[in-house]
Amino acid sequence: MEKVITWSRRQWGLLVGCLGAILLVFFLLADHSGYHENTPSRRRVLWGRRVKGQKSLEVKLYTDINQLVMLDNGIVQVNFSIPDGHVLGISYNGIPDILDDHNRREDRGYWDVVWNEPGGPSIFERIEGAYFTIITQNEDQIELSFTKIWDISLRGKSVALNIDKRYILRRGISGYYSYAVFERLEGWPEVGIDQIRIVYKLRSDKFSYMALSDEKQRIMPTMEDRIHGQPLAYPEAVLLTNPANPLLRGEVDDKYQYSIENEVNKVHGWISPDPPVGFWIITPSNEFRTAGPNKQDLTSHAGPIALSMFVSTHYAGTDVRMNFEEGEPWKKVFGPIFVYLNSASSQNNPQQVLWENAKEQMLSEVGSWPYNFTESEDFLPSDQRGTVAGQLLVSDRYINENLMWAQSAYVGLAAPGEVGSWQRESKGYQFWTQADEKGYFIIKNVLPGEYNLYAWVPGFIGDYKNDTTITINPGGEVQMDVLVYEPPRQGPTLWEIGIPDRTAEEFYIPDPYPTLMNRLYINQPAEKFRQYGLWERYADLYSEQDLVYTINVSDYSKDWFYAHVTRNINNRTYEAATWKIVFELESVNIGYYTLQLALASANEADLEVRFNDASAQPAHFSTGIIGKENAIARHGIHGLYRFYSIDVASNVLQEGNNTIYLTQSRSRSPFQGVMYDYLRLEGPPEGY
Ligand SMILES: *[C@@H]1O[C@H](CO)[C@@H](O)[C@H](O)[C@H]1NC(C)=O
Ligand SMILES: *[C@@H]1O[C@H](CO)[C@@H](O)[C@H](O)[C@H]1NC(C)=O
Ligand SMILES: *[C@@H]1O[C@H](CO)[C@@H](O)[C@H](O)[C@H]1NC(C)=O
Ligand SMILES: *[C@@H]1O[C@H](CO)[C@@H](O)[C@H](O)[C@H]1NC(C)=O
Ligand SMILES: *[C@@H]1O[C@H](CO)[C@@H](O)[C@H](O)[C@H]1NC(C)=O
Ligand SMILES: *[C@@H]1O[C@H](CO)[C@@H](O)[C@H](O)[C@H]1NC(C)=O
């Protein structure tokens, strides 16, 4: 019994012009006793004290041609279209509209889904409510609901999902919360979903400065600058040839240069220098985003646009899309996220002040997670969630006879599945943490359900999974036994290349072409890989012959190119590149050696491995065609993790110098290739 009043489009029409009915509506809204009595378990004591002189909350319905509902708490004013539930306008701190009101009503602040039926076209759909409900209205909080109800008559036109979009405005809070409940019922058709997100398009005459982290902040080009620029080799990358701000001339702009790992994507947004105002997307939890902590996604980008990405195939490919079988029921809550607005009193370095304040607000939102003021039965507060704790150790006797602490291990709960399946898992919730230096972990606020516990340990190859299905009950606390991860290992290390950390960032990242730079990354060596066009540098650097890496001589930070790409012949044809690893063996022991091969990413690639015979057919080992992660074109330094343990029979090795040939054989485009995470050659097992 959450609903107070519901309007459909038809009913709405009847209401227009019917003043008596509207007065009745206001009368009903003013009477909250029914709501409280009927929902004892949902009743929440709302926090926050009434500050003297602070305006209380206001809801105004405009039943004229505008058909909108306005929420006002005296700090921010937000307009929503009814019954669609698009954000039409946000007024704050004297800026009459934060959003770009030149855009159409449905193109300022909206949720969207990209979906298709099997074999059907990919459809971009803005989520439009058909019913509008005021869920709560009291002096502390207003919650609105805009729902879309699917039925078979909508097949092919609207995604087979019921969606309830919620917005919450609270007293004294400078911003508002947004979440949505997505649901599929039994009997509904098969559907695939590539993307679910929220988009905000801000005023370009005000919001010119973007901030993603302490280091990643800059004055941005405009959409106009991009339209007048020169498109580069991959969609979205543009050379700014004639930007309005001459300081940006000659730079590359690409929204993918501003991607971030989901685990750290907690606050990003835009600043208007005059008046000094910030607009921020704060995401206090990663539980509802897909595919775990290492999945990367878009943040803010030229427009000015700010995104909240919940589901996407970015840096992971179609492996992570949500595929629902015919009749498969499902329900999930995305969010809440917090749209935060702040202002600075002085013009003195407002960027710094606003960013620091946004970070503080982010920490406060993270600290209040899970929120205790949402009204949907489907979003559970902390007392209805559980906890899992334990300690993870690592056993690798070739490194240490004793057990080692799984220091800083990523430990998480995700839907039961295969080892490592979490990085492709997209329908459920995931709960991750990083262990402390002794491998102790505690995962809090886990939603009730069944999970497997997964982990990966920086510095060690492979993936950990505990086979026990873990059932979380409301308020439950699960204490795991001491868990021991045995990473893949057959014999002693003869040599290794790189660091097992699931990225290629420790390898050689070339300087970008001086004519194709994003100046933001010039002074940031750690993220140089985000520069445009680095894949092309391979053919420049290895113009005579492909990369040769000599063990004990070469240095992977200088001599191992960050991506095994194709060689550009004439800008039309591309050639497969074969890299060589040369190493010396004093003697060959009879038995099996092992090449441990960890990839950080792949894109339409097939990696062939040969030992001492460049022309062996078939190759001694081949990955087969793998990957659609597009990390090369989209300036990522990793995509999905793949691990191979390759047996090497001693008869293919020899005393003296040996060569391993690595051929990435698919070469239609410059964006095909792999990124290595780590390689290790192990000798035959020693007698233990
Ligand atoms: C909200 O709508 C009202 C009524 O049309 C209008 O007066 C007000 O300016 C709008 N505010 C914003 C921020 O769009
Ligand atoms: C709700 O959460 C806030 C922030 O964590 C906390 O201060 C407040 O006491 C909570 N209220 C209730 C009723 O639990
Ligand atoms: C998995 O977890 C359970 C529960 O803590 C534990 O008893 C079991 O030993 C673990 N399995 C492994 C292989 O570590
Ligand atoms: C490809 O085209 C660019 C721009 O015209 C040129 O600078 C470059 O040398 C060409 N590369 C090759 C390998 O032909
Ligand atoms: C590398 O150098 C070490 C120390 O000199 C030596 O023991 C080892 O055999 C060398 N390895 C290779 C593959 O050359
Ligand atoms: C192996 O190759 C290296 C580098 O080319 C060379 O210096 C070395 O003498 C070779 N070793 C043997 C045993 O042929």
Side-chain angles (χ1 to χ4, degrees), residues 44-47 170 364 367-373:
R44 309 268 167 69
V45 181
L46 296 160
W47 54 289
R170 313 189 72 208
S364 147
S368 334
W369 187 266
Y371 293 140
N372 56 15
F373 52 80

Side-chain angles (χ1 to χ4, degrees), residues 104 109 145 147 232 242 251 259 272 328 331 382 428 474-475 481 495 586 664:
R104 287 172 293 128
S145 157
T147 49
L232 295 171
N242 197 17
E251 281 201 73
S259 297
S272 151
E328 185 181 340
K331 192 186 239 188
S382 81
D481 300 329
W495 50 258
E586 276 175 24
Q664 196 296 99

Side-chain angles (χ1 to χ4, degrees), residues 146-166:
F146 301 89
T147 49
K148 153 187 143 47
I149 308 288
W150 193 83
D151 66 55
I152 198 75
S153 72
L154 295 169
R155 182 153 190 187
K157 292 180 217 126
S158 176
V159 62
L161 290 169
N162 285 341
I163 299 172
D164 182 356
K165 285 189 289 183
R166 299 289 186 103

Side-chain angles (χ1 to χ4, degrees), residues 393-412:
L393 303 176
V394 181
S395 162
D396 184 342
R397 62 182 195 223
Y398 287 98
I399 293 180
N400 194 323
E401 290 288 341
N402 302 315
L403 292 173
M404 294 167 278
W405 293 322
Q407 188 177 349
S408 306
Y410 286 80
V411 186

Side-chain angles (χ1 to χ4, degrees), residues 178-285:
S178 177
Y179 67 111
V181 184
F182 281 57
E183 186 175 25
R184 274 175 57 85
L185 303 180
E186 278 174 30
W188 286 10
E190 202 177 331
V191 70
I193 296 175
D194 282 330
Q195 176 174 287
I196 298 174
R197 61 175 190 176
I198 303 174
V199 181
Y200 283 101
K201 299 190 174 174
L202 312 184
R203 279 176 75 141
S204 56
D205 60 337
K206 296 276 179 218
F207 292 89
S208 53
Y209 187 88
M210 186 179 83
L212 313 175
S213 73
D214 289 344
E215 297 81 26
K216 292 196 275 185
Q217 306 190 6
R218 61 165 297 157
I219 293 171
M220 290 291 287
T222 64
M223 205 52 114
E224 283 293 293
D225 294 343
R226 287 178 51 86
I227 290 165
H228 296 127
Q230 175 196 329
L232 295 171
Y234 206 83
E236 305 292 350
V238 167
L239 179 63
L240 303 171
T241 47
N242 197 17
N245 177 350
L247 295 174
L248 305 181
R249 184 171 301 136
E251 281 201 73
V252 170
D253 179 65
D254 182 343
K255 65 182 175 184
Y256 289 91
Q257 292 181 317
Y258 304 114
S259 297
I260 293 185
E261 272 71 16
N262 283 349
E263 61 169 324
V264 288
N265 177 359
K266 293 178 182 160
V267 55
H268 62 86
W270 289 86
I271 288 169
S272 151
D274 183 23
V277 163
F279 175 96
W280 308 100
I281 303 283
I282 294 181
T283 312
S285 167

Side-chain angles (χ1 to χ4, degrees), residues 568-571:
N568 182 350
I569 300 299
N570 52 19
N571 285 331

Side-chain angles (χ1 to χ4, degrees), residues 372-434:
N372 56 15
F373 52 80
T374 51
E375 289 295 352
S376 168
E377 300 284 343
D378 295 310
F379 182 80
L380 301 185
S382 81
D383 61 357
Q384 293 176 50
R385 297 172 175 234
T387 299
V388 176
Q391 186 188 21
L392 182 65
L393 303 176
V394 181
S395 162
D396 184 342
R397 62 182 195 223
Y398 287 98
I399 293 180
N400 194 323
E401 290 288 341
N402 302 315
L403 292 173
M404 294 167 278
W405 293 322
Q407 188 177 349
S408 306
Y410 286 80
V411 186
L413 298 169
E418 301 291 307
V419 172
S421 57
W422 56 270
Q423 65 168 353
R424 291 179 172 80
E425 196 284 311
S426 58
K427 291 178 193 165
Y429 301 93
Q430 296 199 23
F431 301 87
W432 286 81
T433 190
Q434 262 188 291

